[in-house]
Amino acid sequence: MANSLNLSIDRSSPIPLYHQVVQGIENLIHDGTLVPGSKLENEIDLAAALNLSRPTMRKAMDELVRAGLLVRKRGVGTQVVASQVRRPLELSSLFDDLSARGSKPTTDVLTFSHIDADAVICEKLALPAGAKVYHFTRLRKVDGKPLALMENWVRDDVTAIEETSLADQGLYAILRNAGVNFRLAQQRIGAMVANSYQAPLLDTVPGSALVTMERTAVDDTGRMVETGRHVYRADQYSFEMTLVQR
Amino acid sequence: MANSLNLSIDRSSPIPLYHQVVQGIENLIHDGTLVPGSKLENEIDLAAALNLSRPTMRKAMDELVRAGLLVRKRGVGTQVVASQVRRPLELSSLFDDLSARGSKPTTDVLTFSHIDADAVICEKLALPAGAKVYHFTRLRKVDGKPLALMENWVRDDVTAIEETSLADQGLYAILRNAGVNFRLAQQRIGAMVANSYQAPLLDTVPGSALVTMERTAVDDTGRMVETGRHVYRADQYSFEMTLVQR
DNA sequence: GCAATTAGTTTGTCCTGACAATAGGATGAT
DNA sequence: ATCATCCTATTGTCAGGACAAACTAATTGC
């Protein structure tokens, strides 16, 4: 069972060795070479087989354990988790997620303004009173059918935002292009029933179930760049994630 | 700004050094000694100040970065994230969460049976056809008010479950006591509107919003031990989490 | 004055080596 | 046969060193 993984490591590549191992094992699990429940060789031998040091091998396996693909037990070994693992939902935008799945998301910009932030928004973005922010609401459709109604506030000292660019691409893509490196986000997921404003926009009826998501995103300098409140049609969207015990 | 952290490391303690550092810095952030946005000393000096090696210091900081408390940038340094940090919601049970918050959760066991798993459950728990499982539905109340309606299936080869013990403690506590070490869970969060069965149990009206959660938990041997479908009153519960970019 | 180069700081990656802790099976004694 | 003990395999923790890459700021050259 414990066959040495058939991986190729490119030491001249700019991408870190441990990350190459992560991707390699991920692929082996995805294409079925590593079947769920099977045991891996011990990390010492694996490292030797790939001409890597043990810490590097360990770092790769750590990532996979955190991602929920592997399970380790001291004195026993490492196993492939028996589950059809979905992407552990990292910090990404809805637009990117949908695009990656092959759907074609479109965006209608419903409102767009550059305004003084009210007290609540100043609080959420840790801005001084009187700061200005971009505020806009968008309707996200996929294959022509409405999926999400999104309201966002973005601090205006990171980049200028044009209404037209919001129609073309996701908010996160715009901010990334402007040099913003997102690091983490605080998120809250709940539920509500559609009101008479939301229902027609989402092509549903008042009283139908909606998933709500509030998020505030922080960049690599510790600034809170963006906060927003989104609602999704519950029959077309839900949040999947993998929780890992530490 | 860059004052050496005032931490005490106990080398004789059984808890790992890096974890002591994690807890120490967590406490400093919580009690306000390390204010949001402030810069930490560089890892080399910090390690030296605590008489630790750099890898150990780094491992501690890695954890804190993953937990969303710190933000690092090459060539620049490490900062405390400017956010009112909530617990990143790990793999824990509702019962434990509520208890930790000081609430007093109670449980009504509505149904309890030991049955043949149907095809869907066998699929979810990766069990062979014809395997038996425990199936039960519970109503979780806090301070006497209903909060969640929970339906669960547990494979029966991990431990025997008594209906009476479910009323006293959380499911995860029972399984942990039986020697089950949970490692990860796949989770999906969505929304629905209360139907005529759920509404009276949750002390609300049909048509009100509910948060739905489906979860399958895996233990350290890779077995899928438990799967369940829970619904929560949307006005009393939501899921909070911190997403970290890797 | 302004841009390009350079130097210094800090985190990122990778290596080697060592010992500890745990799980599980093998072994031995009762 | 059953229980306790030992042994082995494997992961967990920790140290110390080396170089690379990215960012900042100062210096230099024009």
Side-chain angles (χ1 to χ4, degrees), chain B residues 11 28 43 56 63 97 150 154 157 191 221 226:
Chain B
R11 294 192 90 92
L28 290 179
E43 23 179 74
T56 301
E63 302 258 332
D97 284 347
M150 311 182 286
V154 182
D157 57 353
T221 65
E226 174 261 338

Side-chain angles (χ1 to χ4, degrees), chain B residues 84-113:
Chain B
Q84 61 297 354
V85 200
R86 288 153 183 133
R87 280 251 150 262
L89 193 51
E90 286 175 356
L91 178 48
S92 60
S93 72
L94 175 61
F95 193 92
D96 296 340
D97 284 347
L98 295 171
S99 300
R101 264 191 247 164
S103 309
K104 289 196 196 109
T106 61
T107 309
D108 296 348
V109 180
L110 302 179
T111 73
F112 183 89
S113 58

Side-chain angles (χ1 to χ4, degrees), chain A residues 204-215:
Chain A
T204 182
V205 295
S208 64
L210 301 178
V211 183
T212 68
M213 188 269 274
E214 294 170 60
R215 169 154 76 180

Side-chain angles (χ1 to χ4, degrees), chain B residues 116-165:
Chain B
D116 292 330
D118 65 25
V120 175
I121 299 303
C122 282
E123 164 82 24
K124 289 210 183 216
L125 294 178
L127 288 171
K132 301 198 84 176
V133 293
Y134 294 104
H135 171 239
F136 43 88
T137 54
R138 295 170 294 162
L139 182 64
R140 174 70 39 84
K141 297 179 182 175
V142 157
D143 302 328
K145 288 187 294 190
L147 171 65
L149 190 55
M150 311 182 286
E151 180 172 21
N152 288 85
W153 293 263
V154 182
R155 57 190 296 161
D156 71 343
D157 57 353
V158 287
T159 185
I161 297 182
E162 299 294 328
E163 180 169 356
T164 51
S165 56

Side-chain angles (χ1 to χ4, degrees), chain A residues 159-171:
Chain A
T159 183
I161 297 182
E162 299 294 329
E163 179 170 357
T164 50
S165 56
L166 278 173
D168 294 339
Q169 48 188 330
L171 171 60

Side-chain angles (χ1 to χ4, degrees), chain A residues 82 183 189 221 224 239 245, chain B residues 79 82 183 189 224 239 245:
Chain A
R183 271 305 131 86
I189 302 172
T221 66
M224 296 175 178
F239 289 88
Q245 179 81 326
Chain B
Q79 270 186 317
R183 270 306 131 85
I189 301 173
M224 297 174 176
F239 289 87
Q245 179 81 326

Side-chain angles (χ1 to χ4, degrees), chain B residues 28-83:
Chain B
L28 290 179
I29 292 177
H30 252 256
D31 68 21
T33 310
L34 285 175
V35 295
S38 66
K39 230 181 98 178
L40 264 64
E41 262 185 291
N42 71 66
E43 23 179 74
I44 313 257
D45 291 350
L46 276 182
L50 295 175
N51 263 306
L52 297 171
S53 71
R54 190 182 163 212
T56 301
M57 193 66 212
R58 252 187 96 69
K59 174 143 190 176
M61 299 178 80
D62 266 350
E63 302 258 332
L64 291 164
V65 167
R66 282 177 203 273
L69 293 174
L70 298 182
V71 164
R72 283 192 292 194
K73 209 168 176 184
R74 188 189 292 198
V76 181
T78 307
Q79 270 186 317
V80 179
V81 139
S83 95

Side-chain angles (χ1 to χ4, degrees), chain A residues 1 65 132 183 218:
Chain A
M1 55 166 69
V65 168
K132 300 198 83 175
R183 271 305 131 86
V218 181

